[in-house]
Amino acid sequence: MAVLTMLAMGAWIAVNGNSQTTEGLKWLQFFQTVGTFLLPPIICAWFWSDNHRPFEWLKLNKRADGGSFVLAIGIMVCAIPAINLLADLNNRIELPDSLDFIEEKLRAMEASAAVLTERFLQTDTIGGLFINIGLMALLPALSEELTFRGTLQQTLADGQKPTTAIWVTAFIFSAIHMQFYGFIPRMLMGAMFGYMFVWTGSLWIPMVMHFVNNSLAVLFYYFWGQSDAGQSVPETKNIADTIGAGDTWWIGVLSLLITCLGLLRFYRRTRTRGFSCACGYPTDAVQGS
C-alpha cells in the first residue's frame, strides 16, 4: 500500500504538476484511491490464493440472489436517518478542558474535509454528476470493500469466529478516514457491511450497500444542495445529513429500529436459503455471530 500510494502520488504530479484546482485534486483522489485501496488487495489476493485466483479469494465469484440485493439496498436507505442521529450524537462529544487543543485540531480537520468535499460535489452538469458518482461512490465502494472486508477482515478471522475480525476491521475502516466526529456511525456502518459479508459469503452485497450510501449523498447534493450558480444553499444542502437528527430525532430512532429489524430479516433469510458463508469461517462460528 505504501509503495503503490507513492507511485500514485508520482503519477498525479506527472499528470497535473501538483495542481491545487478542484479538477487536479479530483485526479489526486483518483490516483490515491487506486494506489492505496484498489490495487493492493488484488495483488495480495493474487499471491495468497490457490492457482492465483484473486477474485475467488476475495469472494467476488460468489453472488447473492436478487432478493438479497433488494433487501440490502432497502436496509441501507432506511439506515440513513439512524446514521445521521448517531453522527449528531458523535458530534456532541466534548473532550476534557485539558484536551481543548486536540478538540480544536479535530474540528478544524473536520471543517477542512467538509470544505474539500463540497468543492468536489459542486457541479451543474450531468457529466460532472457522473464523474462525482464514479469518484466518490463507485470507486470507494469497490476499493474500500476489497481492502477492508475482502482482505483485512478475512485475514484477521483466519477461520475463527468472525465477530472480533468484523469489529476490528470496522474500527480501522472508520479511523482511517481521519474524521473523529463521524467515527461512531462510520464504524457501525463498517460492522454492518462486515456482517453482511459473513452472512452471504459474497463481497458484492457490502459493495452495493457502500455504493448506495455514497451515491445518495452525491445525488442529494446535486439536486437539492446547490444553486444554479453552484453555490451551496444551507437550507437544502443538508437534508440528507440532518434528517433523523435535531428536531427530527424521532425519525432517527425509528430508522434505527427498522434497520435492526431489516438486518434480522436479512440474517434469517440467508439461513433459510442456505447461503454458503464461505468467508474463511466455520459454519458454527458464523451462526454464533
Side-chain angles (χ1 to χ4, degrees), residues 58-88:
L58 291 164
K59 303 300 180 292
L60 291 173
N61 63 323
K62 299 188 176 183
R63 300 178 182 176
D65 65 292
S68 294
F69 279 107
V70 171
L71 182 55
I73 292 171
I75 290 172
M76 189 69 255
V77 173
C78 290
I80 289 176
I83 293 171
N84 292 338
L85 174 62
L86 293 170
D88 183 51

PDB file of all heavy atoms in Angstrom, residues 58-88:
ATOM      1  N   LEU A  58     -11.152 -13.233  -2.907  1.00  0.00           N
ATOM      2  CA  LEU A  58     -11.855 -12.050  -2.400  1.00  0.00           C
ATOM      3  C   LEU A  58     -13.371 -12.236  -2.346  1.00  0.00           C
ATOM      4  O   LEU A  58     -14.094 -11.326  -1.959  1.00  0.00           O
ATOM      5  CB  LEU A  58     -11.525 -10.833  -3.274  1.00  0.00           C
ATOM      6  CG  LEU A  58     -10.088 -10.311  -3.171  1.00  0.00           C
ATOM      7  CD1 LEU A  58      -9.779  -9.387  -4.338  1.00  0.00           C
ATOM      8  CD2 LEU A  58      -9.868  -9.597  -1.846  1.00  0.00           C
ATOM      9  N   LYS A  59     -13.843 -13.401  -2.735  1.00  0.00           N
ATOM     10  CA  LYS A  59     -15.273 -13.733  -2.733  1.00  0.00           C
ATOM     11  C   LYS A  59     -16.064 -12.893  -3.729  1.00  0.00           C
ATOM     12  O   LYS A  59     -17.233 -12.595  -3.522  1.00  0.00           O
ATOM     13  CB  LYS A  59     -15.864 -13.587  -1.323  1.00  0.00           C
ATOM     14  CG  LYS A  59     -15.145 -14.445  -0.279  1.00  0.00           C
ATOM     15  CD  LYS A  59     -15.215 -15.913  -0.618  1.00  0.00           C
ATOM     16  CE  LYS A  59     -14.510 -16.786   0.409  1.00  0.00           C
ATOM     17  NZ  LYS A  59     -13.049 -16.621   0.447  1.00  0.00           N
ATOM     18  N   LEU A  60     -15.410 -12.508  -4.819  1.00  0.00           N
ATOM     19  CA  LEU A  60     -16.099 -11.791  -5.876  1.00  0.00           C
ATOM     20  C   LEU A  60     -16.740 -12.741  -6.880  1.00  0.00           C
ATOM     21  O   LEU A  60     -17.487 -12.316  -7.754  1.00  0.00           O
ATOM     22  CB  LEU A  60     -15.122 -10.857  -6.607  1.00  0.00           C
ATOM     23  CG  LEU A  60     -14.621  -9.660  -5.795  1.00  0.00           C
ATOM     24  CD1 LEU A  60     -13.541  -8.919  -6.570  1.00  0.00           C
ATOM     25  CD2 LEU A  60     -15.768  -8.721  -5.446  1.00  0.00           C
ATOM     26  N   ASN A  61     -16.417 -14.021  -6.755  1.00  0.00           N
ATOM     27  CA  ASN A  61     -17.018 -15.021  -7.643  1.00  0.00           C
ATOM     28  C   ASN A  61     -18.345 -15.535  -7.097  1.00  0.00           C
ATOM     29  O   ASN A  61     -19.021 -16.333  -7.747  1.00  0.00           O
ATOM     30  CB  ASN A  61     -16.065 -16.201  -7.830  1.00  0.00           C
ATOM     31  CG  ASN A  61     -15.794 -16.939  -6.530  1.00  0.00           C
ATOM     32  OD1 ASN A  61     -15.695 -16.308  -5.474  1.00  0.00           O
ATOM     33  ND2 ASN A  61     -15.676 -18.256  -6.596  1.00  0.00           N
ATOM     34  N   LYS A  62     -18.744 -15.078  -5.910  1.00  0.00           N
ATOM     35  CA  LYS A  62     -19.984 -15.541  -5.289  1.00  0.00           C
ATOM     36  C   LYS A  62     -21.035 -14.440  -5.369  1.00  0.00           C
ATOM     37  O   LYS A  62     -20.769 -13.295  -5.021  1.00  0.00           O
ATOM     38  CB  LYS A  62     -19.728 -15.923  -3.832  1.00  0.00           C
ATOM     39  CG  LYS A  62     -18.719 -17.057  -3.716  1.00  0.00           C
ATOM     40  CD  LYS A  62     -18.628 -17.560  -2.312  1.00  0.00           C
ATOM     41  CE  LYS A  62     -17.667 -18.756  -2.272  1.00  0.00           C
ATOM     42  NZ  LYS A  62     -17.589 -19.346  -0.942  1.00  0.00           N
ATOM     43  N   ARG A  63     -22.186 -14.815  -5.823  1.00  0.00           N
ATOM     44  CA  ARG A  63     -23.263 -13.840  -5.998  1.00  0.00           C
ATOM     45  C   ARG A  63     -24.437 -14.189  -5.098  1.00  0.00           C
ATOM     46  O   ARG A  63     -24.782 -15.358  -4.933  1.00  0.00           O
ATOM     47  CB  ARG A  63     -23.725 -13.818  -7.449  1.00  0.00           C
ATOM     48  CG  ARG A  63     -22.644 -13.436  -8.448  1.00  0.00           C
ATOM     49  CD  ARG A  63     -23.188 -13.481  -9.854  1.00  0.00           C
ATOM     50  NE  ARG A  63     -22.159 -13.166 -10.840  1.00  0.00           N
ATOM     51  CZ  ARG A  63     -22.356 -13.203 -12.153  1.00  0.00           C
ATOM     52  NH1 ARG A  63     -23.562 -13.531 -12.624  1.00  0.00           N
ATOM     53  NH2 ARG A  63     -21.381 -12.906 -12.983  1.00  0.00           N
ATOM     54  N   ALA A  64     -25.029 -13.178  -4.539  1.00  0.00           N
ATOM     55  CA  ALA A  64     -26.282 -13.355  -3.795  1.00  0.00           C
ATOM     56  C   ALA A  64     -27.440 -13.237  -4.782  1.00  0.00           C
ATOM     57  O   ALA A  64     -27.278 -12.735  -5.901  1.00  0.00           O
ATOM     58  CB  ALA A  64     -26.394 -12.316  -2.693  1.00  0.00           C
ATOM     59  N   ASP A  65     -28.613 -13.686  -4.381  1.00  0.00           N
ATOM     60  CA  ASP A  65     -29.772 -13.594  -5.259  1.00  0.00           C
ATOM     61  C   ASP A  65     -30.309 -12.171  -5.289  1.00  0.00           C
ATOM     62  O   ASP A  65     -29.968 -11.336  -4.445  1.00  0.00           O
ATOM     63  CB  ASP A  65     -30.856 -14.575  -4.799  1.00  0.00           C
ATOM     64  CG  ASP A  65     -31.393 -14.199  -3.439  1.00  0.00           C
ATOM     65  OD1 ASP A  65     -30.638 -14.304  -2.441  1.00  0.00           O
ATOM     66  OD2 ASP A  65     -32.551 -13.783  -3.356  1.00  0.00           O
ATOM     67  N   GLY A  66     -31.165 -11.900  -6.281  1.00  0.00           N
ATOM     68  CA  GLY A  66     -31.697 -10.555  -6.456  1.00  0.00           C
ATOM     69  C   GLY A  66     -32.448 -10.040  -5.254  1.00  0.00           C
ATOM     70  O   GLY A  66     -32.354  -8.857  -4.909  1.00  0.00           O
ATOM     71  N   GLY A  67     -33.200 -10.926  -4.578  1.00  0.00           N
ATOM     72  CA  GLY A  67     -33.946 -10.510  -3.397  1.00  0.00           C
ATOM     73  C   GLY A  67     -33.042 -10.003  -2.291  1.00  0.00           C
ATOM     74  O   GLY A  67     -33.391  -9.050  -1.574  1.00  0.00           O
ATOM     75  N   SER A  68     -31.877 -10.621  -2.141  1.00  0.00           N
ATOM     76  CA  SER A  68     -30.923 -10.191  -1.110  1.00  0.00           C
ATOM     77  C   SER A  68     -30.381  -8.801  -1.422  1.00  0.00           C
ATOM     78  O   SER A  68     -30.203  -7.971  -0.532  1.00  0.00           O
ATOM     79  CB  SER A  68     -29.775 -11.195  -1.007  1.00  0.00           C
ATOM     80  OG  SER A  68     -30.237 -12.436  -0.525  1.00  0.00           O
ATOM     81  N   PHE A  69     -30.120  -8.544  -2.700  1.00  0.00           N
ATOM     82  CA  PHE A  69     -29.642  -7.218  -3.083  1.00  0.00           C
ATOM     83  C   PHE A  69     -30.708  -6.156  -2.819  1.00  0.00           C
ATOM     84  O   PHE A  69     -30.401  -5.081  -2.295  1.00  0.00           O
ATOM     85  CB  PHE A  69     -29.241  -7.204  -4.560  1.00  0.00           C
ATOM     86  CG  PHE A  69     -27.876  -7.752  -4.830  1.00  0.00           C
ATOM     87  CD1 PHE A  69     -27.714  -8.987  -5.432  1.00  0.00           C
ATOM     88  CD2 PHE A  69     -26.740  -7.037  -4.476  1.00  0.00           C
ATOM     89  CE1 PHE A  69     -26.458  -9.500  -5.684  1.00  0.00           C
ATOM     90  CE2 PHE A  69     -25.475  -7.532  -4.719  1.00  0.00           C
ATOM     91  CZ  PHE A  69     -25.333  -8.773  -5.332  1.00  0.00           C
ATOM     92  N   VAL A  70     -31.942  -6.460  -3.158  1.00  0.00           N
ATOM     93  CA  VAL A  70     -33.032  -5.502  -2.936  1.00  0.00           C
ATOM     94  C   VAL A  70     -33.191  -5.215  -1.449  1.00  0.00           C
ATOM     95  O   VAL A  70     -33.328  -4.054  -1.024  1.00  0.00           O
ATOM     96  CB  VAL A  70     -34.349  -6.035  -3.524  1.00  0.00           C
ATOM     97  CG1 VAL A  70     -35.525  -5.149  -3.101  1.00  0.00           C
ATOM     98  CG2 VAL A  70     -34.265  -6.108  -5.040  1.00  0.00           C
ATOM     99  N   LEU A  71     -33.162  -6.273  -0.629  1.00  0.00           N
ATOM    100  CA  LEU A  71     -33.309  -6.092   0.812  1.00  0.00           C
ATOM    101  C   LEU A  71     -32.128  -5.320   1.391  1.00  0.00           C
ATOM    102  O   LEU A  71     -32.306  -4.438   2.251  1.00  0.00           O
ATOM    103  CB  LEU A  71     -33.425  -7.457   1.494  1.00  0.00           C
ATOM    104  CG  LEU A  71     -33.643  -7.455   3.013  1.00  0.00           C
ATOM    105  CD1 LEU A  71     -34.861  -6.622   3.390  1.00  0.00           C
ATOM    106  CD2 LEU A  71     -33.789  -8.890   3.529  1.00  0.00           C
ATOM    107  N   ALA A  72     -30.920  -5.617   0.920  1.00  0.00           N
ATOM    108  CA  ALA A  72     -29.730  -4.916   1.405  1.00  0.00           C
ATOM    109  C   ALA A  72     -29.784  -3.431   1.061  1.00  0.00           C
ATOM    110  O   ALA A  72     -29.445  -2.573   1.885  1.00  0.00           O
ATOM    111  CB  ALA A  72     -28.472  -5.558   0.816  1.00  0.00           C
ATOM    112  N   ILE A  73     -30.229  -3.111  -0.148  1.00  0.00           N
ATOM    113  CA  ILE A  73     -30.354  -1.712  -0.555  1.00  0.00           C
ATOM    114  C   ILE A  73     -31.413  -1.010   0.294  1.00  0.00           C
ATOM    115  O   ILE A  73     -31.224   0.129   0.746  1.00  0.00           O
ATOM    116  CB  ILE A  73     -30.704  -1.617  -2.054  1.00  0.00           C
ATOM    117  CG1 ILE A  73     -29.517  -2.083  -2.897  1.00  0.00           C
ATOM    118  CG2 ILE A  73     -31.099  -0.186  -2.427  1.00  0.00           C
ATOM    119  CD1 ILE A  73     -29.834  -2.223  -4.374  1.00  0.00           C
ATOM    120  N   GLY A  74     -32.530  -1.692   0.533  1.00  0.00           N
ATOM    121  CA  GLY A  74     -33.575  -1.124   1.379  1.00  0.00           C
ATOM    122  C   GLY A  74     -33.080  -0.843   2.786  1.00  0.00           C
ATOM    123  O   GLY A  74     -33.386   0.204   3.372  1.00  0.00           O
ATOM    124  N   ILE A  75     -32.299  -1.761   3.339  1.00  0.00           N
ATOM    125  CA  ILE A  75     -31.737  -1.567   4.680  1.00  0.00           C
ATOM    126  C   ILE A  75     -30.830  -0.346   4.702  1.00  0.00           C
ATOM    127  O   ILE A  75     -30.888   0.487   5.616  1.00  0.00           O
ATOM    128  CB  ILE A  75     -30.954  -2.823   5.120  1.00  0.00           C
ATOM    129  CG1 ILE A  75     -31.923  -3.983   5.385  1.00  0.00           C
ATOM    130  CG2 ILE A  75     -30.123  -2.537   6.369  1.00  0.00           C
ATOM    131  CD1 ILE A  75     -31.228  -5.317   5.625  1.00  0.00           C
ATOM    132  N   MET A  76     -30.004  -0.193   3.646  1.00  0.00           N
ATOM    133  CA  MET A  76     -29.070   0.931   3.603  1.00  0.00           C
ATOM    134  C   MET A  76     -29.811   2.256   3.522  1.00  0.00           C
ATOM    135  O   MET A  76     -29.472   3.225   4.210  1.00  0.00           O
ATOM    136  CB  MET A  76     -28.145   0.775   2.392  1.00  0.00           C
ATOM    137  CG  MET A  76     -26.982   1.755   2.355  1.00  0.00           C
ATOM    138  SD  MET A  76     -25.745   1.463   3.640  1.00  0.00           S
ATOM    139  CE  MET A  76     -26.115   2.805   4.781  1.00  0.00           C
ATOM    140  N   VAL A  77     -30.851   2.318   2.701  1.00  0.00           N
ATOM    141  CA  VAL A  77     -31.627   3.554   2.573  1.00  0.00           C
ATOM    142  C   VAL A  77     -32.331   3.885   3.887  1.00  0.00           C
ATOM    143  O   VAL A  77     -32.319   5.035   4.339  1.00  0.00           O
ATOM    144  CB  VAL A  77     -32.653   3.430   1.427  1.00  0.00           C
ATOM    145  CG1 VAL A  77     -33.583   4.643   1.404  1.00  0.00           C
ATOM    146  CG2 VAL A  77     -31.947   3.286   0.088  1.00  0.00           C
ATOM    147  N   CYS A  78     -32.933   2.874   4.510  1.00  0.00           N
ATOM    148  CA  CYS A  78     -33.638   3.092   5.784  1.00  0.00           C
ATOM    149  C   CYS A  78     -32.681   3.500   6.899  1.00  0.00           C
ATOM    150  O   CYS A  78     -33.095   4.155   7.861  1.00  0.00           O
ATOM    151  CB  CYS A  78     -34.386   1.823   6.190  1.00  0.00           C
ATOM    152  SG  CYS A  78     -35.810   1.448   5.149  1.00  0.00           S
ATOM    153  N   ALA A  79     -31.418   3.127   6.782  1.00  0.00           N
ATOM    154  CA  ALA A  79     -30.447   3.397   7.846  1.00  0.00           C
ATOM    155  C   ALA A  79     -29.936   4.834   7.849  1.00  0.00           C
ATOM    156  O   ALA A  79     -29.329   5.273   8.833  1.00  0.00           O
ATOM    157  CB  ALA A  79     -29.258   2.440   7.724  1.00  0.00           C
ATOM    158  N   ILE A  80     -30.178   5.592   6.788  1.00  0.00           N
ATOM    159  CA  ILE A  80     -29.588   6.931   6.678  1.00  0.00           C
ATOM    160  C   ILE A  80     -30.003   7.856   7.826  1.00  0.00           C
ATOM    161  O   ILE A  80     -29.146   8.521   8.432  1.00  0.00           O
ATOM    162  CB  ILE A  80     -29.924   7.539   5.303  1.00  0.00           C
ATOM    163  CG1 ILE A  80     -29.142   6.803   4.223  1.00  0.00           C
ATOM    164  CG2 ILE A  80     -29.601   9.037   5.277  1.00  0.00           C
ATOM    165  CD1 ILE A  80     -29.456   7.235   2.814  1.00  0.00           C
ATOM    166  N   PRO A  81     -31.304   7.957   8.202  1.00  0.00           N
ATOM    167  CA  PRO A  81     -31.635   8.799   9.359  1.00  0.00           C
ATOM    168  C   PRO A  81     -30.967   8.321  10.655  1.00  0.00           C
ATOM    169  O   PRO A  81     -30.568   9.155  11.486  1.00  0.00           O
ATOM    170  CB  PRO A  81     -33.162   8.688   9.441  1.00  0.00           C
ATOM    171  CG  PRO A  81     -33.593   8.352   8.055  1.00  0.00           C
ATOM    172  CD  PRO A  81     -32.520   7.443   7.536  1.00  0.00           C
ATOM    173  N   ALA A  82     -30.839   7.005  10.823  1.00  0.00           N
ATOM    174  CA  ALA A  82     -30.167   6.485  12.014  1.00  0.00           C
ATOM    175  C   ALA A  82     -28.695   6.885  12.018  1.00  0.00           C
ATOM    176  O   ALA A  82     -28.131   7.247  13.064  1.00  0.00           O
ATOM    177  CB  ALA A  82     -30.297   4.961  12.071  1.00  0.00           C
ATOM    178  N   ILE A  83     -28.055   6.836  10.855  1.00  0.00           N
ATOM    179  CA  ILE A  83     -26.658   7.259  10.732  1.00  0.00           C
ATOM    180  C   ILE A  83     -26.535   8.734  11.086  1.00  0.00           C
ATOM    181  O   ILE A  83     -25.596   9.148  11.794  1.00  0.00           O
ATOM    182  CB  ILE A  83     -26.138   6.983   9.312  1.00  0.00           C
ATOM    183  CG1 ILE A  83     -26.064   5.474   9.062  1.00  0.00           C
ATOM    184  CG2 ILE A  83     -24.770   7.630   9.094  1.00  0.00           C
ATOM    185  CD1 ILE A  83     -25.777   5.114   7.617  1.00  0.00           C
ATOM    186  N   ASN A  84     -27.476   9.546  10.621  1.00  0.00           N
ATOM    187  CA  ASN A  84     -27.453  10.976  10.940  1.00  0.00           C
ATOM    188  C   ASN A  84     -27.635  11.225  12.435  1.00  0.00           C
ATOM    189  O   ASN A  84     -26.993  12.113  13.011  1.00  0.00           O
ATOM    190  CB  ASN A  84     -28.553  11.700  10.159  1.00  0.00           C
ATOM    191  CG  ASN A  84     -28.290  11.721   8.668  1.00  0.00           C
ATOM    192  OD1 ASN A  84     -27.149  11.575   8.228  1.00  0.00           O
ATOM    193  ND2 ASN A  84     -29.341  11.894   7.882  1.00  0.00           N
ATOM    194  N   LEU A  85     -28.519  10.451  13.064  1.00  0.00           N
ATOM    195  CA  LEU A  85     -28.728  10.589  14.510  1.00  0.00           C
ATOM    196  C   LEU A  85     -27.446  10.257  15.265  1.00  0.00           C
ATOM    197  O   LEU A  85     -27.033  10.999  16.172  1.00  0.00           O
ATOM    198  CB  LEU A  85     -29.856   9.658  14.957  1.00  0.00           C
ATOM    199  CG  LEU A  85     -30.110   9.580  16.465  1.00  0.00           C
ATOM    200  CD1 LEU A  85     -30.529  10.942  17.017  1.00  0.00           C
ATOM    201  CD2 LEU A  85     -31.169   8.519  16.788  1.00  0.00           C
ATOM    202  N   LEU A  86     -26.799   9.160  14.895  1.00  0.00           N
ATOM    203  CA  LEU A  86     -25.553   8.766  15.555  1.00  0.00           C
ATOM    204  C   LEU A  86     -24.443   9.779  15.287  1.00  0.00           C
ATOM    205  O   LEU A  86     -23.624  10.069  16.172  1.00  0.00           O
ATOM    206  CB  LEU A  86     -25.134   7.381  15.076  1.00  0.00           C
ATOM    207  CG  LEU A  86     -26.062   6.230  15.485  1.00  0.00           C
ATOM    208  CD1 LEU A  86     -25.690   4.955  14.749  1.00  0.00           C
ATOM    209  CD2 LEU A  86     -26.003   6.005  16.997  1.00  0.00           C
ATOM    210  N   ALA A  87     -24.426  10.333  14.074  1.00  0.00           N
ATOM    211  CA  ALA A  87     -23.426  11.347  13.750  1.00  0.00           C
ATOM    212  C   ALA A  87     -23.639  12.608  14.592  1.00  0.00           C
ATOM    213  O   ALA A  87     -22.682  13.239  15.059  1.00  0.00           O
ATOM    214  CB  ALA A  87     -23.484  11.681  12.268  1.00  0.00           C
ATOM    215  N   ASP A  88     -24.909  12.974  14.796  1.00  0.00           N
ATOM    216  CA  ASP A  88     -25.226  14.140  15.616  1.00  0.00           C
ATOM    217  C   ASP A  88     -24.787  13.924  17.063  1.00  0.00           C
ATOM    218  O   ASP A  88     -24.201  14.814  17.691  1.00  0.00           O
ATOM    219  CB  ASP A  88     -26.728  14.418  15.555  1.00  0.00           C
ATOM    220  CG  ASP A  88     -27.125  15.667  16.322  1.00  0.00           C
ATOM    221  OD1 ASP A  88     -26.520  16.720  16.110  1.00  0.00           O
ATOM    222  OD2 ASP A  88     -28.044  15.573  17.165  1.00  0.00           O
TER     223      ASP A  88
END
